[in-house]
Amino acid sequence: ETGVTQTPRHLVMGMTNKKSLKCEQHLGHNAMYWYKQSAKKPLELMFVYNFKEQTENNSVPSRFSPECPNSSHLFLHLHTLQPEDSALYLCASSPGRGLGETQYFGPGTRLLVL
Amino acid sequence: AQKITQTQPGMFVQEKEAVTLDCTYDTSDQSYGLFWYKQPSSGEMIFLIYQGSYDEQNATEGRYSLNFQKARKSANLVISASQLGDSAMYFCAMREVGGAQKLVFGQGTRLTINP
């Protein structure tokens, strides 16, 4: 596997379910990100991790819980979601914190909350 | 105020023509970076090109070039000799030195290449 992978690619869940999204990067990067892309809204940053430490939480509701066990893996744990949380969730990674460092994205998980 | 503005929700272009996708930005930082990404219907955001605020030359990557006009705060993407596979959403994004690692994205432009 190369680049950034995400599983599952599609997920349907009820509001009382608990599920997790997984992201893995094979690029040797030290920073990982979660973004949310809703219909008709710009891509929004949710969380940033650098060297496994969370360095940014963009006022995300607590029903989203990130976990970064190492620099290659990032999870997003979901519980008691709302229908408005239905969106494409994109994971990205970058070498580090440099201004010009490109963030490389995975294919995303399309989430539908019923 | 929006930091990144893409005023063209959709564009239709004939194959092999050049196309310019507009992007204007708003920042008070002197040091910032501008990025363009392509998002096909599959969902993945594909990095195309980067321009730093201190770069004097316009960035180029193959058929992609960035028309950077700093005084006008614009960073338009130019695709030369468009191909059917260029049909996708295109997003302009900015990262400010004072914005940690946050990439701020515009609303995007849906480009359709007609045969």
Side-chain angles (χ1 to χ4, degrees), chain A residues 5-98:
Chain A
T5 58
Q6 290 185 243
T7 54
R9 295 293 310 277
H10 300 271
L11 179 62
V12 180
M13 59 186 289
M15 289 190 286
T16 58
N17 292 157
K18 289 185 180 182
K19 297 285 184 183
S20 295
L21 309 185
K22 178 183 176 182
C23 174
E24 184 173 0
Q25 58 97 0
H26 309 268
L27 300 168
H29 289 168
N30 296 309
M32 295 188 78
Y33 311 77
W34 279 117
Y35 285 86
K36 175 184 179 182
Q37 186 177 27
S38 305
K40 304 193 178 183
K41 287 180 71 176
L43 208 66
E44 300 170 275
L45 178 69
M46 299 175 73
F47 301 103
V48 181
Y49 278 81
N50 284 283
F51 295 96
K52 305 186 299 178
E53 300 297 320
Q54 186 181 127
T55 53
E56 190 154 346
N57 176 338
N58 201 28
S59 303
V60 180
S62 60
R63 58 185 183 271
F64 294 91
S65 174
E67 178 190 1
C68 189
N70 54 60
S71 292
S72 298
H73 293 86
L74 185 64
F75 295 89
L76 188 62
H77 304 299
L78 316 172
H79 63 98
T80 59
L81 293 192
Q82 305 298 309
E84 60 264 28
D85 297 322
S86 298
L88 179 68
Y89 289 84
L90 289 160
C91 174
S93 72
S94 68
R97 300 176 181 235

